[in-house]
Amino acid sequence: QVQLVESGGGLVHTGDSLKLSCTFYGRTFSSAAMGWFRQAPRKEREFVAAIGGVGWIDDTKYADSVKGRFTISRDIDEKMLYLQMVNLQPGDTAVYYCVGSDGPMPQAMAGSYGYWGQGTQVTVSS
């Protein structure tokens, strides 16, 4: 059984930085691709970033809206996933979800991820 727990969300101002963390509980962390999605109020869920599992760790994907500002990374030994966010904007306000896959390749489609965390709120004030 796999469980994902996010942390690190909060209230920040435009231009600030924030780092989200995701703790992975299970036995397939090293081989599983992982990522981040977000959902703002009254908007559809959208892809943010993804990183591959073992053999694909150097392979990452980013949404155009966050590329150059967000960085996804993982620590295999500690079973942790991170999302470093810089130059945050009000449009980044959303609930951020940590996701995990049984496959090693990072993908942008939500259907590729069978495991989801409970979400952590990020609010960026003007």
Side-chain angles (χ1 to χ4, degrees):
Q1 189 173 0
V2 174
Q3 184 178 7
L4 305 174
V5 181
E6 304 96 332
S7 63
L11 174 63
V12 298
H13 297 284
T14 298
D16 285 351
S17 299
L18 197 63
K19 188 174 184 178
L20 305 182
S21 299
C22 174
T23 304
F24 179 97
Y25 299 93
R27 297 185 179 275
T28 61
F29 179 81
S30 63
S31 61
M34 299 186 71
W36 295 91
F37 284 76
R38 68 185 183 185
Q39 186 167 22
R42 299 173 298 279
K43 292 188 176 182
E44 295 182 355
R45 179 180 57 196
E46 65 175 340
F47 169 76
V48 177
I51 187 169
V54 64
W56 299 83
I57 293 179
D58 294 333
D59 190 6
T60 58
K61 292 181 177 293
Y62 294 93
D64 290 340
S65 60
V66 306
K67 191 172 185 178
R69 298 189 299 116
F70 291 10
T71 302
I72 188 171
S73 62
R74 66 191 298 170
D75 187 317
I76 297 294
D77 293 336
E78 298 296 329
K79 293 188 175 183
M80 296 290 293
L81 178 73
Y82 304 99
L83 184 68
Q84 178 65 60
M85 305 179 291
V86 301
N87 192 24
L88 284 163
Q89 304 170 36
D92 296 317
T93 295
V95 176
Y96 284 71
Y97 297 92
C98 174
V99 299
S101 173
D102 289 328
M105 182 182 296
Q107 300 183 43
M109 296 295 296
S112 298
Y113 301 94
Y115 310 104
W116 291 69
Q118 79 285 357
T120 185
Q121 177 71 48
V122 173
T123 302
V124 185
S125 63
S126 301

